[in-house]
Amino acid sequence: MESTMLSESPVRVHASNVGGIDETEVEIQPGVTVLSGRNATNRTSFLQALMAGLGSTRPSLKGDAAEGRVELTVGGETYTRTLTRQGDTVAFGGDPYLADPELADLFAFLLENNESRRAVARGDDLREIIMRPVDTDQIEAEIRELEAEKDDIDDQIADLDQLESTLPDLETRRAEIDAELEEARADLADAQAAIDELDADLEESRSRKEELEDAFQRVREARSEVEDLTFEIETEESTLAELRSERADLEATLEDSEPPEEDPERIDGRIEELRERKRALDETLNELGSVISFNEEMLEGDGLDVAFDRRSNGDTPDSESASVTDELLGSEEVVCWTCGSEVERDHIDDTVDALRDLRGDRLEERNDLRDRISDLTSKRSTLRQRRAERRRAEERLEAVETEIEDVTDRIESLEAEREAAEARVEEREAETEDVGAGEYDEVIERHREANELELRVDRLESDLADVDAEIAETESKLDERETLRER
C-alpha cells in the first residue's frame, strides 16, 4: 500500500478513534511512503485517518468511541477533522485540507473498498462513477448556449453570402448612374453656353437682367424644395412598405406559435423538489458507503492497530494483532463491533450484503432522479425560450403598429407640403414669364431647361454617393466574414 504527499517537508498525522486506532501520531517524510505489515495492524485505519484529514467523509469512527479527531500538518499549516457519532451516523466537522473531496474520494483514495477500484477489478462500466462529480446540467446548458451562438453566426455568414451577391448589381447601378451623370453634365454645359450666347446678343438693361435672374433663382429654389420633399416621401413610403411586410411576418409567427401550454416557472418548484430528494439520496449513499466500507474492513481483519504502543491497555502490537487474528480465524462467532454482542459471522455478511443491495437501489433511484431533473430542465428551457420569443414578437408587433401610424402621418404631412411647394413653383414660373415677356421668351426657356438639368445633376450626384457608400459598407461587412467563420 503506497501513499504520496505533494510536500517538500514532512507531514505529521495525529489521529484518535478512527477506524481501529485508539490514538497514534506518525510523521511521513517527503517522497513515497510504504505501509507494510501483517493483517490487523491498522494500516487501512491509518490511511482512513489520512483521508479524514484531507477531507473525506468515508472514514469510520472507532466502534466504541463517540468522537474522533485527526490533525494533519502540511508545510507548517495544521488541518483538523472531527468525527462525532450521531445515532447511526457519523458527522464530520473541522477544517480539512480539501474543501470538496469528492474527486479525491473517487479517484485518489484508492482503498480496497473504493468504488472506482472495485469497478475496475470487476470489469464494470466506469461511466456512472466518472460522471458523478460532473455537473452535466451546467455543461448541457453551456452547450445549448454555444449552439445558439453558432447558429447565430451561421445566420450572419449566410446573410453576408447573400449580401455578396448584391455587389455586381451595385456596380452595374453605379456605372449606369455615372454614365447618366456625365450626359446630364454635358447637357447642362450646353444649356449654360446657349444662355451665355443669348445674353451676349440681347441689349437689355442691367436691372432688367438682375430681375430676371432673381425670378429664375426663386424658381430653382421652389423646384429644389419639391425634389427634396419627393425624396423624403419616397423614403417614408419605402419604410412603410418594410414595416407592413414585417407586421405581416409577425402576425404569421404569432398565429403559428401557440402560447406555451405550461408555465415554466411552475417547473422550478418540481425541479427544486427533485434536487432536494437527490441531495438527500447523495447523503444517504455517502453514509451507506461509509458503513459498508467500515464493515468490509472489519470483516477482512485489517482494522485495529498501527505499529505503536496501545495506550488503552499497554499490550504490544504483535500480541494484540495475533490475538485478534486468531480470534477472527478460529471461531464462527465474532464480537459485533457495533453492539458488542457475539453474533454469527454469516449474519454480519448477510447484513452487509443487504446494505449493498440497498445502496444499489438508492443508486438506481438517484440516477432516475438525475434523468428526470435533466428532462425537466430541458423542458423548462424550451418553454422559456418559446415564451420569450412570443413576448418579443408581441412587443415588436405593437411597436411596428405604432411606427406604421407615425410614418403614415408623416407621409400625409409631406404630401401636403409638396402640393404647396408645387403651387409655389407654378407661381414663380409665371413670374419669370411676366418679367421676360416678349424678347426674353427664349432666354426664359433656356433658363428653365438649365434649372431642370441642375436639379437632375444634383440628384444623380446624390444617388452616386449613396451607391458608393453602399458598396463600401458591403465590402466592409464582407471583410468580417472570415472572422465569423473562425469563431
Side-chain angles (χ1 to χ4, degrees):
M1 188 90 51
E2 297 182 2
S3 170
T4 60
M5 296 299 297
L6 297 178
S7 174
E8 295 300 324
S9 59
V11 175
R12 191 179 76 255
V13 183
H14 181 274
S16 59
N17 295 332
V18 177
I21 296 174
D22 283 336
E23 186 169 3
T24 189
E25 183 171 319
V26 177
E27 188 173 273
I28 304 174
Q29 298 300 319
V32 177
T33 299
V34 179
L35 302 182
S36 64
R38 301 185 311 278
N39 287 344
T41 55
N42 271 341
R43 289 169 299 160
T44 301
S45 294
F46 174 71
L47 291 178
Q48 281 195 31
L50 191 58
M51 289 166 55
L54 290 170
S56 176
T57 58
R58 303 292 177 86
S60 57
L61 185 63
K62 194 170 185 294
D64 59 354
E67 294 181 350
R69 182 180 180 87
V70 176
E71 291 183 358
L72 181 66
T73 302
V74 182
E77 295 288 336
T78 299
Y79 303 89
T80 61
R81 191 63 156 165
T82 60
L83 295 78
T84 306
R85 192 179 305 281
Q86 295 182 350
D88 295 332
T89 63
V90 175
F92 291 84
D95 182 21
Y97 185 81
L98 298 175
D100 183 4
E102 183 177 11
L103 292 177
D105 277 330
L106 284 175
F107 308 119
F109 304 148
L110 300 181
L111 302 188
E112 188 174 358
N113 62 346
N114 176 271
E115 288 183 73
S116 300
R117 178 173 171 178
R118 287 178 179 270
V120 171
R122 293 192 300 264
D124 292 346
D125 185 1
L126 278 173
R127 176 175 174 76
E128 191 278 330
I129 296 175
I130 291 174
M131 294 301 294
R132 189 181 303 165
V134 180
D135 188 347
T136 55
D137 291 343
Q138 180 182 357
I139 293 174
E140 289 171 358
E142 291 177 3
I143 289 174
R144 286 193 294 271
E145 289 177 2
L146 291 171
E147 286 175 341
E149 183 179 357
K150 180 181 178 297
D151 290 342
D152 181 59
I153 293 174
D154 286 338
D155 291 342
Q156 293 181 53
I157 292 174
D159 291 342
L160 290 175
D161 290 339
Q162 180 65 30
L163 186 63
E164 186 177 27
S165 66
T166 66
L167 273 177
D169 293 338
L170 290 172
E171 295 289 354
T172 300
R173 174 66 178 151
R174 187 187 188 287
E176 292 173 351
I177 294 174
D178 199 33
E180 191 175 352
L181 179 60
E182 185 177 352
E183 181 182 354
R185 284 171 175 166
D187 291 342
L188 177 60
D190 292 342
Q192 288 174 338
I195 291 172
D196 292 341
E197 185 178 349
L198 287 171
D199 285 346
D201 293 341
L202 290 174
E203 295 179 1
E204 56 187 356
S205 66
R206 178 176 297 178
S207 61
R208 187 71 176 273
K209 183 177 180 180
E210 290 177 353
E211 185 179 355
L212 185 60
E213 288 293 342
D214 290 342
F216 287 140
Q217 179 61 30
R218 288 194 296 273
V219 171
R220 282 194 295 269
E221 291 172 354
R223 285 180 177 170
S224 178
E225 185 180 2
V226 171
E227 288 286 338
D228 291 343
L229 289 169
T230 299
F231 177 77
E232 289 186 46
I233 290 171
E234 290 174 352
T235 302
E236 294 292 349
E237 287 176 342
S238 175
T239 301
L240 182 61
E242 293 175 359
L243 288 170
R244 285 172 173 167
S245 176
E246 184 179 1
R247 178 177 63 184
D249 292 341
L250 289 169
E251 289 173 344
T253 298
L254 289 172
E255 184 177 350
D256 294 340
S257 65
E258 295 294 331
E261 67 278 4
E262 187 175 359
D263 186 353
E265 307 308 325
R266 295 181 61 184
I267 299 179
D268 285 343
R270 293 159 60 189
I271 292 176
E272 186 57 33
E273 178 186 352
L274 292 176
R275 284 177 173 166
E276 283 294 334
R277 290 170 57 186
K278 181 176 176 293
R279 281 192 285 267
L281 276 175
D282 287 338
E283 293 178 3
T284 300
L285 287 169
N286 285 335
E287 292 169 1
L288 285 171
S290 297
V291 172
I292 292 170
S293 298
F294 173 70
N295 282 278
E296 286 174 341
E297 291 166 14
M298 298 302 291
L299 287 172
E300 290 166 4
D302 186 15
L304 293 180
D305 192 19
V306 175
F308 62 91
D309 290 341
R310 300 277 296 188
R311 303 191 181 186
S312 58
N313 54 22
D315 292 341
T316 64
D318 290 344
S319 62
E320 179 72 16
S321 301
S323 62
V324 172
T325 302
D326 292 342
E327 182 178 348
L328 289 175
L329 295 177
S331 173
E332 292 299 324
E333 291 188 343
V334 296
V335 175
C336 177
W337 41 84
T338 301
C339 64
S341 61
E342 292 188 354
V343 296
E344 294 289 336
R345 181 187 180 92
D346 291 342
H347 180 68
I348 296 179
D349 288 333
D350 292 342
T351 301
V352 174
D353 289 339
L355 289 173
R356 292 193 187 101
D357 293 339
L358 177 61
R359 189 171 188 276
D361 293 340
R362 294 295 179 267
L363 274 172
E364 184 175 348
E365 184 179 354
R366 195 270 305 276
N367 293 338
D368 178 62
L369 285 173
R370 184 176 58 194
D371 293 340
R372 289 170 62 188
I373 290 171
S374 177
D375 293 341
L376 284 174
T377 302
S378 177
K379 181 180 180 180
R380 179 183 62 183
S381 176
T382 300
L383 290 174
R384 283 177 173 171
Q385 182 177 358
R386 286 173 54 192
R387 186 172 67 175
E389 289 173 353
R390 184 175 180 83
R391 183 170 60 248
R392 285 195 296 269
E394 290 172 343
E395 291 173 351
R396 180 55 187 161
L397 179 59
E398 183 178 351
V400 167
E401 293 283 6
T402 301
E403 289 181 38
I404 287 175
E405 293 178 4
D406 293 341
V407 172
T408 302
D409 292 341
R410 284 199 298 273
I411 290 175
E412 292 177 355
S413 176
L414 289 170
E415 286 177 341
E417 291 181 28
R418 183 172 62 178
E419 288 179 6
E422 288 172 345
R424 285 193 292 274
V425 170
E426 293 177 1
E427 292 174 0
R428 294 176 183 182
E429 284 180 344
E431 290 175 2
T432 60
E433 292 174 359
D434 293 340
V435 171
E439 70 269 27
Y440 296 117
D441 289 347
E442 187 176 359
V443 175
I444 292 172
E445 183 61 31
R446 290 295 184 181
H447 272 283
R448 181 179 293 112
E449 180 184 351
N451 285 341
E452 293 174 353
L453 287 170
E454 286 177 353
L455 292 173
R456 184 184 175 196
V457 167
D458 290 342
R459 186 178 67 255
L460 288 172
E461 287 176 344
S462 177
D463 291 345
L464 184 62
D466 291 342
V467 172
D468 284 339
E470 190 172 354
I471 290 174
E473 182 180 3
T474 300
E475 291 175 343
S476 175
K477 289 181 178 178
L478 291 177
D479 290 340
E480 302 173 3
R481 188 166 47 181
E482 285 306 313
T483 302
L484 290 174
R485 283 175 175 158
E486 290 176 4
R487 284 180 61 196

